[in-house]
Amino acid sequence: MKGIRGISQLSRRFYVAARADQSLAQPLAGIKLSPGAAHTYQDVHVTRLPSGLVIASLENYSPASKIGVFVKAGCRYETPDNQGVTHLLRLASNLTTKGASAFKICRGIEAVGGSLSVTSTRENMIYTVDCLRNDIDTVMEYLINVTTAPEFRPWEVSDLTPRVKMDKAQAAQNTQIAVVEGLHEAAYKNALCNSLYCPDHMVGNIQAEHLHQFVQNNFTSARMALVGLGIDHAVLKQVGEQFLNIRSGAGTTGAKAQYRGGEIRLASISSLVHSAVVSQSAAAGTNEALAFSVLQHLLGAGPHVKRGSNASNKLVQGVAKATADPFDVSAFNASYSDSGLFGVYTISQVAAAGDVIKAALAQVKAVADGGVTAADLTRAKAQLKGQFLMSLETSEGFLEAMGTQALADGSYRSPEEISKNIDNVSLSDVANAAKKFVSGKKTMASSGNLIKTPFVDEI
Amino acid sequence: MMSLAARSGALSPYLQATKHTVKSLVFPGATELVPAAAPGGIRLAHTDLKIPDFNDYRRLEVIDPKKSSQESSEGRRAFSYLVTGATTVVGVYAAKTVVTQFVSSMSASADVLALSKIEIKLSDIPEGKNMTFKWRGKPLFVRHRTEKEIDAEAAVNIAELRDPEHDKDRVVNPKWVIVLGVCTHLGCVPIANAGDFGGYYCPCHGSHYDASGRIRKGPAPLNLEVPYYEFPDEDTVIVG
């Protein structure tokens, strides 16, 4: 009797011993949680590997998973002899890799109903796959192949030229893209002046060697982040340790962006004049950048009510006094790791272009001179918080937020923390930001029939 | 932080460029439907699928895609149905022939069938005489009748017979009577030229048959069986 009891107690003791190293702070692996489970099981976990690779994940128990590889390899890291290589890289994500042919990548991802896409900003390149939870291994294999082991076969790369032309043609149809690209080209001397799209003189001149070189120099572990949504952190960490450690080191450091402030005028026969007037603002991650964001919403950053009257939009109300024709105006704000641009973006009729621009700038000057009430500030903060929090509602938005934060400083700030930071922005911060814009050297980019559009020194 | 600042505002989509390699969820109303949007993934039926030219296999009336096919539809239908019907009929006959050939191959072979006939030379049998042959395992009586016997048999009143049959119904040529020599009572072999009626007499139970092989007296119920026979010429008869 005692012996039998002893045996069962022994097995229980072994069970406990086996679980002794199980951390009480980590969720148990392989357990399905009921909806009423504790909140801590859905925290974002961030780990930094010794090689510099940052791994961030959130297990939200959703049926579909999203995994992204974020690389600091945006178009600011292009050099003068390989301008446009990131555009080619964006298009080259389906080409043959060392572990999978182009056909296998396409067929394999399609077979599980997944998607693979590449997004590139000026700072980062983001490779994203999404699929159902159970098919993670399959699509992960393709993602790793595409990001770490592309072959860039010369005939496949040369086949990309017509697609580059098609891409550029489609982008050229969109005036906002043309103006934003022109704005950056005029505002900076280097790095951030590079365009997201391949320049005309380089179409057909980017070879496979350029792509190889760019990947060698920029796709290093220290500049990458592996981010997952709907996946276990341990699994992602294992993948990161095993597969994304091939290129160590920091790669080539990008040049520091130098703001110059210039003008670019893109004449066309369009009856709508798009114009952006900006000045240098602050680098992302600083409190000043947050002040500029609040200022953006204070002035007006797009309509909040569809087909509404934009009653709370200072810019729209100010410009409405200057012209009766259709127009649109919003504050423009872009922050990068070492610089930023802030200003106004106007769309107006040909004859009213100058009045609209001047009225918009006058509104900003009014804010700089202290014409802002506390109620306005509260409203602007609420709008900024609302827009930020609502962008986290979609899986794409959340993944992007996690990834850019992981890449920028290797950590994740919770939405609550960011909301608190937004609340701490004061009226003087906002006024100083507006003063910085008013007094700073202006950059201007205009497009359309520019007969009545003033030059940058006339506004 | 960077994501926060960089994403707010109406112009944030223009600060980045996205290319899909494989896109599995293309909702109706999606803006990027061109194959260049996801060259690895999207195939559009109206541009990417090439249908080969099948004109070599089409009828003349339906080659022109702009002409309605309604006018020629009746003619085409009639032709098709006619050909199908004719083929079906021919097919059915062919099938029936094949099946009967195969099934009949299981019936008796020629040598067995050959054993079932007997050919008799009639000039060997004198008048008034009865000759016995073995045929199909049974005795076969071939009797060359005299004129007197023929007339006597023809004049018999059929109403008196147990098994009424006129003589002319039992013979092809009245001179020759060919019957099976098996008594219809219990199967003994009758004796020729015996009995009270000038025909046959069965010794087993006393059945008397006449010169035509009909039962006249005795326990037998029926007349002697007449097999099938024919006269290919004057001198021979083939029985069976």
Side-chain angles (χ1 to χ4, degrees), chain B residues 45-126:
Chain B
H46 67 295
T47 49
D48 295 332
L49 297 179
K50 301 272 176 278
I51 301 172
D53 181 26
F54 290 118
N55 273 348
D56 293 337
Y57 304 95
R58 290 200 174 109
R59 299 188 218 219
L60 287 172
E61 307 95 27
V62 295
I63 282 183
D64 184 4
K66 297 193 181 47
K67 224 165 58 135
S68 162
S69 62
Q70 288 294 353
E71 298 108 45
S72 58
S73 69
E74 267 193 53
R76 284 183 286 123
R77 203 179 307 138
F79 175 75
S80 293
Y81 288 173
L82 193 68
V83 168
T84 308
T87 310
T88 310
V89 168
V90 169
V92 165
Y93 271 112
K96 176 213 166 226
T97 308
V98 168
V99 168
T100 46
Q101 278 175 353
F102 276 106
V103 169
S104 64
S105 74
M106 292 191 288
S107 63
S109 58
D111 59 343
V112 169
L113 286 174
L115 287 174
S116 69
K117 287 195 171 111
I118 187 170
E119 191 177 330
I120 301 166
K121 204 143 152 254
L122 294 171
S123 53
D124 292 338
I125 308 175

Side-chain angles (χ1 to χ4, degrees), chain B:
Chain B
M1 288 296 206
M2 169 168 21
S3 60
L4 165 64
R7 270 195 280 111
S8 302
L11 289 156
S12 51
Y14 305 115
L15 295 171
Q16 62 191 32
T18 304
K19 229 40 226 141
H20 298 290
T21 311
V22 181
K23 186 107 183 98
S24 284
L25 297 171
V26 181
F27 295 104
T31 49
E32 286 207 79
L33 267 182
V34 286
I42 295 179
R43 283 209 330 158
L44 301 172
H46 67 295
T47 49
D48 295 332
L49 297 179
K50 301 272 176 278
I51 301 172
D53 181 26
F54 290 118
N55 273 348
D56 293 337
Y57 304 95
R58 290 200 174 109
R59 299 188 218 219
L60 287 172
E61 307 95 27
V62 295
I63 282 183
D64 184 4
K66 297 193 181 47
K67 224 165 58 135
S68 162
S69 62
Q70 288 294 353
E71 298 108 45
S72 58
S73 69
E74 267 193 53
R76 284 183 286 123
R77 203 179 307 138
F79 175 75
S80 293
Y81 288 173
L82 193 68
V83 168
T84 308
T87 310
T88 310
V89 168
V90 169
V92 165
Y93 271 112
K96 176 213 166 226
T97 308
V98 168
V99 168
T100 46
Q101 278 175 353
F102 276 106
V103 169
S104 64
S105 74
M106 292 191 288
S107 63
S109 58
D111 59 343
V112 169
L113 286 174
L115 287 174
S116 69
K117 287 195 171 111
I118 187 170
E119 191 177 330
I120 301 166
K121 204 143 152 254
L122 294 171
S123 53
D124 292 338
I125 308 175
E127 206 166 279
K129 194 86 182 338
N130 183 84
M131 272 196 84
T132 310
F133 301 92
K134 185 178 170 199
W135 176 70
R136 293 188 185 174
K138 293 182 277 232
L140 182 78
F141 292 155
V142 179
R143 192 192 179 109
H144 189 173
R145 291 199 296 196
T146 59
E147 285 294 330
K148 216 163 60 86
E149 280 171 346
I150 297 168
D151 296 334
E153 297 303 332
V156 168
N157 187 0
I158 303 168
E160 292 173 356
L161 294 170
R162 186 176 300 163
D163 183 11
E165 262 188 317
H166 198 275
D167 181 53
K168 62 180 187 302
D169 296 330
R170 291 176 58 80
V171 293
V172 171
N173 179 352
K175 272 196 1 179
W176 300 96
V177 71
I178 300 170
V179 289
L180 276 177
V182 176
C183 180
T184 52
H185 178 231
L186 287 177
C188 291
V189 180
I191 301 167
N193 291 323
D196 297 340
F197 297 86
Y200 305 91
Y201 171 73
C202 180
C204 292
H205 304 96
S207 303
H208 296 256
Y209 298 88
D210 62 16
S212 180
R214 295 177 286 197
I215 182 69
R216 299 298 274 273
K217 194 159 92 170
L222 298 168
N223 301 335
L224 291 176
E225 191 187 330
V226 179
Y228 174 77
Y229 57 90
E230 56 192 17
F231 293 91
D233 56 55
E234 267 299 315
D235 209 23
T236 42
V237 65
I238 295 182
V239 183

Side-chain angles (χ1 to χ4, degrees), chain A residues 11-82:
Chain A
S11 61
R12 236 185 297 145
R13 295 243 166 88
F14 279 146
Y15 174 82
V16 167
R19 293 283 200 158
D21 57 329
Q22 178 88 25
S23 160
L24 292 175
Q26 296 286 333
L28 290 174
I31 296 208
K32 289 202 178 341
L33 274 178
S34 60
H39 174 73
T40 49
Y41 285 176
Q42 290 202 12
D43 282 340
V44 174
H45 297 279
V46 182
T47 320
R48 182 180 229 121
L49 295 183
S51 59
L53 178 71
V54 179
I55 303 184
S57 78
L58 171 69
E59 174 64 284
N60 60 358
Y61 302 104
S62 99
S65 301
K66 246 185 170 55
I67 302 171
V69 172
F70 288 68
V71 192
K72 273 189 191 149
C75 57
R76 68 173 295 162
Y77 298 103
E78 287 174 0
T79 59
D81 54 349
N82 68 4

Side-chain angles (χ1 to χ4, degrees), chain A residues 30-365:
Chain A
I31 296 208
K32 289 202 178 341
L33 274 178
S34 60
H39 174 73
T40 49
Y41 285 176
Q42 290 202 12
D43 282 340
V44 174
H45 297 279
V46 182
T47 320
R48 182 180 229 121
L49 295 183
S51 59
L53 178 71
V54 179
I55 303 184
S57 78
L58 171 69
E59 174 64 284
N60 60 358
Y61 302 104
S62 99
S65 301
K66 246 185 170 55
I67 302 171
V69 172
F70 288 68
V71 192
K72 273 189 191 149
C75 57
R76 68 173 295 162
Y77 298 103
E78 287 174 0
T79 59
D81 54 349
N82 68 4
Q83 293 237 335
V85 70
T86 47
H87 191 180
L88 268 276
L89 262 181
R90 214 159 56 227
L91 296 172
S93 59
N94 71 319
L95 298 187
T96 306
T97 62
K98 287 201 180 62
S101 68
F103 176 71
K104 186 176 175 188
I105 293 173
C106 169
R107 175 73 176 79
I109 298 180
E110 268 188 341
V112 297
S115 298
L116 165 68
S117 61
V118 189
T119 302
S120 68
T121 66
R122 294 196 137 77
E123 303 262 2
N124 304 329
M125 279 205 84
I126 306 163
Y127 292 81
T128 318
V129 288
D130 47 57
C131 60
L132 296 175
R133 287 189 81 93
N134 302 329
D135 303 320
I136 294 272
D137 306 315
T138 323
V139 295
M140 185 80 85
E141 179 204 337
Y142 299 121
L143 180 65
I144 302 295
N145 268 310
V146 168
T147 46
T148 60
E151 280 193 3
F152 298 133
R153 295 182 171 175
W155 58 93
E156 288 185 345
V157 171
S158 60
D159 277 347
L160 292 177
T161 309
R163 290 172 55 195
V164 172
K165 291 184 185 151
M166 164 80 95
D167 243 7
K168 281 170 64 71
Q170 279 189 308
Q173 287 199 315
N174 194 329
T175 326
Q176 277 92 335
I177 295 183
V179 169
V180 167
E181 297 298 311
L183 189 70
H184 284 83
E185 193 189 323
Y188 290 98
K189 288 186 189 173
N190 61 352
L192 287 173
C193 74
N194 294 334
S195 168
L196 286 170
Y197 298 92
C198 187
D200 287 330
H201 65 274
M202 290 302 279
V203 173
N205 293 335
I206 303 273
Q207 320 295 347
E209 298 84 49
H210 294 122
L211 291 160
H212 274 299
Q213 275 262 302
F214 188 82
V215 167
Q216 276 298 115
N217 292 337
N218 294 290
F219 279 54
T220 60
S221 304
R223 290 160 67 141
M224 286 165 94
L226 179 62
V227 187
L229 196 60
I231 185 171
D232 194 35
H233 192 72
V235 170
L236 208 58
K237 199 160 148 213
Q238 194 183 29
V239 169
E241 280 165 354
Q242 270 185 299
F243 298 113
L244 284 178
N245 268 342
I246 37 134
R247 266 178 231 102
S248 57
T252 54
T253 48
K256 182 158 166 38
Q258 290 167 299
Y259 181 82
R260 68 175 166 101
E263 181 174 13
I264 186 164
R265 293 168 79 91
L266 308 159
S268 76
I269 53 169
S270 166
S271 61
L272 286 176
V273 172
H274 292 239
S275 181
V277 179
V278 298
S279 151
Q280 193 177 33
S281 69
T286 60
N287 288 332
E288 214 187 332
L290 215 47
F292 272 104
S293 290
V294 176
L295 177 62
Q296 180 190 20
H297 278 82
L298 187 72
L299 289 169
H304 291 278
V305 176
K306 251 190 196 169
R307 295 179 264 280
S309 60
N310 283 323
S312 66
N313 194 325
K314 278 191 186 302
L315 285 172
V316 168
Q317 296 305 317
V319 172
K321 296 192 184 77
T323 176
D325 297 322
F327 70 93
D328 191 15
V329 61
S330 76
F332 178 89
N333 184 19
S335 293
Y336 304 105
S337 55
D338 55 359
S339 178
L341 295 174
F342 180 85
V344 291
Y345 189 103
T346 58
I347 306 177
S348 55
Q349 306 297 314
V350 174
D355 301 327
V356 166
I357 296 171
K358 291 196 177 89
L361 293 173
Q363 283 296 312
V364 188
K365 191 155 189 326

Side-chain angles (χ1 to χ4, degrees), chain A residues 371-450:
Chain A
V372 176
T373 63
D376 285 336
L377 187 65
T378 322
R379 171 193 52 83
K381 284 186 195 172
Q383 281 173 342
L384 177 60
K385 266 192 287 185
Q387 192 158 51
F388 168 65
L389 290 172
M390 280 193 265
S391 73
L392 295 180
E393 290 289 306
T394 63
S395 54
E396 297 90 8
F398 193 82
L399 191 84
E400 200 200 322
M402 263 204 297
T404 43
Q405 285 192 43
L407 207 56
D409 47 14
S411 67
Y412 176 75
R413 287 191 187 77
S414 65
E416 291 84 15
E417 198 186 325
I418 296 184
S419 300
K420 210 151 57 75
N421 288 339
I422 294 173
D423 281 328
N424 290 343
V425 171
S426 67
L427 208 53
S428 54
D429 293 332
V430 171
N432 289 338
K435 280 193 191 85
K436 190 171 175 190
F437 167 74
V438 170
S439 58
K441 184 148 188 265
K442 303 270 185 319
T443 306
M444 185 164 170
S446 315
S447 159
N449 185 342
L450 301 175

